[in-house]
Amino acid sequence: MGDLHFDTKALHAGYDYAGDGGLFPPIHMGVAYPFDSGEAAQQICAGERPGYTYARTINPTNAVLEERLAALEGGEACLATASGLAAIFLTILGLLEEPGDEFVTSNRLYGNTRNQFEISLRLMGFEPHYVDRPEEMGAWAAQITPRTRFLFVETPSNPDLFVADVTGLARLARAHDLKLVVDSTLASPAVLRPLGLGADVVVHSTTKYLAGHSAALGGALIGRRDFVEPLRAGHHHYIGPTMSAFNAWLTLLGIETLAVRMPRLISSAQRVAEFLATDPRVLAVSFPGLPSHPQHAIAREQMGGGGTSLLSFEVQGGTQAAWRVLERLQVAVQATQLGSNQTVAVHPATTTHGSLPPDVRLSAGIPDGLIRYSVGLEDPDDLIADLDHALA
Ligand SMILES: Cc1ncc(COP(=O)(O)O)c(C=O)c1O
């Protein structure tokens, strides 16, 4: 599939039409796969012969999704997981070696990614180090110690839309013999392919743009086969955060339209961001497609423009004012989701990032008056009219 274009791969990669599955891959809900001999059982379980064993490891529906995602990201292999957070956790288990190991991460993170780092990983003896000014390469370099194993970055970041220089970070990682992990959920492979820019592992919450329909929770990690397959046979097999076949199937359904959804979503987000940027009732707007965005040039270079349909904006009056705006929206739905076909808005300081201490929230660019707004496939004129009414 190497020579095909992205849009073509989104429809065909990983599926063999010569089987008896039909035009769309079937859902394999069976949990175990019969062996035809003792020898076959031993060899398949040992990974010496191809074949399926038990659905915690993989099933034929997930295999199609994994091959498709690997093809879309330009990676060798993919492991689909029950959620985006599971993909992040497994990736990190695959990169850290022993308690006391460290990693360096941007402080611009989805709230529960930060909680995973601070609570779950610290409990295991692993040490995250945060970069408060992730736009400065020197700030990353300053956090690297002999115990550092990898760099982690979310780009664009949720909800303040920091855009990382993936090429620069990959160079820094190489110079220190470290791996680079990129959470590219907000961009999707339709916009950004971090492996091609030098990253080692890409992680996704497939719950967002990849699925699009908000009907399936899921995650994925993509990288070299010699990283992904030992994880599947190791930590993934022991812990069991497997994506269900039904969710893999729903995610495949979403991916079929990713290449046409993303440009439309991004251009609508650009229009909404431009409306908000000129509105005196709005204190600030963050969207990588606006020339005022601090990493606008990187966004153009690495993502071809805005790169996502998520934007955030700040209103005067803190939490209460933000809540009033959200309550007055009639088209956008108030929910903790993004990357959905429907426009979704939320107040991060009291929901997605509500568990973070206020100083951590503020340093990650999340003031109390901030509203996160994920532009969907509605007519952008309706979204602008809805915002205009809500801000009144
Ligand atoms: C950037 C990013 N990464 C990871 C996650 C976690 O994904 P999931 O909810 O599928 O576990 C989210 C969720 O919002 C996210 O925004």
Side-chain angles (χ1 to χ4, degrees), residues 342-391:
Q342 300 85 356
T343 295
V344 180
V346 82
H347 181 240
T350 49
T351 61
T352 54
H353 295 70
S355 58
L356 303 183
D359 58 322
V360 171
R361 256 200 327 265
L362 273 180
S363 72
I366 310 168
D368 287 348
L370 194 78
I371 291 174
R372 187 183 82 181
Y373 192 88
S374 173
V375 175
L377 293 171
E378 297 91 345
D379 190 307
D381 286 338
D382 291 337
L383 300 177
I384 290 169
D386 191 34
L387 280 163
D388 191 34
H389 163 81
L391 286 163

Side-chain angles (χ1 to χ4, degrees), residues 298-322:
I298 297 174
R300 281 183 64 158
E301 189 187 316
Q302 298 188 359
M303 303 193 295
T308 182
S309 79
L310 193 76
L311 55 90
S312 55
F313 61 96
E314 191 184 354
V315 293
Q316 196 149 25
T319 296
Q320 293 298 328

Side-chain angles (χ1 to χ4, degrees), residues 83-86 88 110 113 154 158 183 185-186 205 207-208 217-218 338:
S83 68
L85 283 177
I88 293 171
Y110 163 56
T113 302
E154 183 180 300
N158 169 8
D183 180 340
T185 297
L186 265 59
S205 167
T207 320
K208 316 296 184 210
L217 193 76
L338 61 89

